[in-house]
Amino acid sequence: MTQKTEVLYNGECPICSREVNHYARLSEKQALPIRYDDLTQSGKLADWGVTADQAAKRFHVRKDGEVISGIPAFVVLWRDIPQTRWLARIIGLPGVHWAACKLYDYILAPLLYAFHKRRQRRINP
C-alpha cells in the first residue's frame, strides 16, 4: 500500500462502529497508514465534501484523492488490510461483486440508515 487510505463512517451506528473498530485494530497492529473519521466528529465532513446525511447513508473511503462509497469502498479498504485481502478478492469477483452491491445498496445501507434516523429521533425528539 503506497497511498494513505481514509475511512468515513457513522460512529453512532453500533454495527458500523463495531466493524470499523475491528478494521482500525487490524490496521493499527500493523501500523498501516489508514485514517478513520467518525462523521459525528465536528469538522470531518467538510474535508470529505459530503453532507452528514450522505455520509450516514453509505460507507465512504478516500484513496488517491478519490472518494468511493458502498461495496467498492469496502473492497478498497479490505485490499489495504492483509487479513481482509481474501475478502476483497472474493467480493471483487464479477458476479459476487454485483450481488454484494445490490444487497448493500438496496437492503443493508437503507436499513442501517433507517436505524440511524430512528436513533436520531430518539435523541432529538
Side-chain angles (χ1 to χ4, degrees):
M1 179 174 66
T2 59
Q3 297 294 322
K4 183 175 185 177
T5 301
E6 300 163 287
V7 176
L8 180 65
Y9 71 101
N10 184 355
E12 290 180 350
C13 170
I15 295 167
C16 306
S17 61
R18 186 174 184 181
E19 182 171 3
V20 169
N21 287 337
H22 172 69
Y23 300 142
R25 282 190 301 275
L26 291 175
S27 59
E28 193 175 298
K29 283 181 185 178
Q30 297 183 43
L32 300 173
I34 302 174
R35 185 180 86 196
Y36 297 88
D37 291 340
D38 181 345
L39 70 89
T40 62
Q41 295 175 353
S42 62
K44 297 293 182 185
L45 290 177
D47 185 43
W48 280 83
V50 295
T51 67
D53 206 47
Q54 290 169 325
K57 285 182 178 180
R58 299 176 65 77
F59 181 73
H60 292 77
V61 167
R62 184 168 39 210
K63 181 83 171 186
D64 301 330
E66 180 184 2
V67 176
I68 305 148
S69 70
I71 290 298
F74 281 102
V75 171
V76 167
L77 177 62
W78 293 335
R79 283 184 184 143
D80 284 351
I81 301 171
Q83 296 91 331
T84 58
R85 285 187 186 135
W86 65 273
L87 189 53
R89 282 192 292 276
I90 291 171
I91 299 300
L93 294 171
V96 176
H97 184 77
W98 180 88
C101 286
K102 297 302 178 202
L103 178 65
Y104 181 83
D105 291 345
Y106 296 106
I107 298 172
L108 298 177
L111 186 61
L112 290 172
Y113 180 67
F115 290 151
H116 169 72
K117 294 305 277 184
R118 188 175 337 154
R119 273 190 309 279
Q120 284 187 324
R121 282 192 299 273
R122 279 197 310 251
I123 294 169
N124 304 313

